[in-house]
Amino acid sequence: DGGITQSPKYLFRKEGQNVTLSCEQNLNHDAMYWYRQDPGQGLRLIYYSQIVNDFQKGDIAEGYSVSREKKESFPLTVTSAQKNPTAFYLCASSEQGNNYGYTFGSGTRLTVV
Amino acid sequence: GNSVTQMEGPVTLSEEAFLTINCTYTATGYPSLFWYVQYPGEGLQLLLKATKADDKGSNKGFEATYRKETTSFHLEKGSVQVSDSAVYFCALSLANTGKLIFGQGTTLQVKP
């Protein structure tokens, strides 16, 4: 079955460390997205990519970085410059065009210890 | 600009009650409209969608009709169950990019 896989499900980071969250899809989707969700809050867009080797900043890109070297993969690095990284991170993918919506992964919960 | 506004929650209902969650939007062009559901600790799942005016999306007893004249896409269900307790997100898809704009989400709590 096709889908989108995020790993790990839970991640703990010490202050000052960079961590990388994995997102892999086998849906052959061109576009991929990273969102951050805080408790009781909506979704905020971090980065998105509509094609391999190209990506754009979303609304809250500071302290994060991404790469899109393969169509299937869109890893997110949370750097030490992100001052409040504890949150639930969601990855999504979609086909091009506005009728399809997104397919979401099951999320990674990052906690700073 | 493009935006989605949902009614604030939490919405608390008894089992078998009728559900309405309001969603209105502002958009240029002709967006597609979506409802997503998020169960605790999980990602979002597509619940239903409508791609043009007067279309009705439906799934698992939930329905929503794309009303261009009132720029609305309200979610309804005739009889809710405890298992429907979740956060519901309304979203629109921009015509030129396919990127989704989400509302803030509405928490539904259904009590037995």
Side-chain angles (χ1 to χ4, degrees):
Chain A
D1 282 342
I4 182 166
T5 302
Q6 290 187 242
S7 62
K9 191 167 179 64
Y10 299 95
L11 186 57
F12 297 90
R13 189 194 94 169
K14 292 182 179 178
E15 294 212 21
Q17 281 185 337
N18 293 353
V19 290
T20 297
L21 283 59
S22 171
C23 179
E24 303 276 335
Q25 55 99 358
N26 61 1
L27 299 165
N28 200 33
H29 287 171
D30 287 312
M32 297 186 75
Y33 309 83
W34 274 106
Y35 286 89
R36 170 180 172 141
Q37 187 177 31
D38 293 285
Q41 302 295 313
L43 304 173
R44 291 188 288 170
L45 182 64
I46 305 173
Y47 269 98
Y48 65 102
S49 168
Q50 294 187 309
I51 196 167
V52 174
N53 292 323
D54 189 40
F55 49 83
Q56 288 77 40
K57 292 181 178 180
D59 302 317
I60 56 163
E62 186 175 349
Y64 300 97
S65 65
V66 294
S67 63
R68 187 86 188 274
E69 297 176 1
K70 297 187 299 182
K71 188 175 186 177
E72 302 80 18
S73 178
F74 192 41
L76 173 73
T77 296
V78 184
T79 75
S80 57
Q82 171 49 241
K83 297 306 178 191
N84 185 21
T86 295
F88 189 51
Y89 290 87
L90 286 163
C91 182
S93 68
S94 71
E95 298 182 57
Q96 296 289 4
N98 73 324
N99 290 343
Y100 303 104
Y102 295 174
T103 301
F104 281 86
S106 55
T108 292
R109 186 166 300 281
L110 173 63
T111 303
V112 174
V113 296
Chain B
N2 302 294
S3 65
V4 175
T5 302
Q6 293 181 232
M7 63 188 289
E8 289 195 22
V11 174
T12 302
L13 296 173
S14 297
E15 206 165 22
E16 300 183 2
F18 184 86
L19 168 70
T20 300
I21 300 178
N22 290 339
C23 171
T24 57
Y25 68 91
T26 302
T28 53
Y30 302 96
S32 294
L33 301 173
F34 303 83
W35 276 101
Y36 282 84
V37 59
Q38 184 181 33
Y39 298 103
E42 297 183 10
L44 278 68
Q45 302 172 26
L46 178 64
L47 182 58
L48 54 83
K49 68 177 183 181
T51 58
K52 61 183 188 296
D54 299 324
D55 268 3
K56 178 186 282 188
S58 61
N59 186 25
K60 299 181 182 178
F62 291 90
E63 294 182 339
T65 301
Y66 188 165
R67 301 283 188 205
K68 191 168 184 291
E69 63 276 12
T70 54
T71 61
S72 65
F73 193 54
H74 305 320
L75 182 68
E76 296 181 335
K77 187 176 185 184
S79 175
V80 293
Q81 306 300 312
V82 172
S83 57
D84 293 326
S85 298
V87 181
Y88 292 82
F89 290 91
C90 184
L92 69 83
S93 178
L94 300 177
N96 54 343
T97 68
K99 202 167 73 166
L100 287 183
I101 305 292
F102 288 92
Q104 282 299 101
T106 302
T107 298
L108 170 65
Q109 299 172 342
V110 180
K111 298 188 174 181

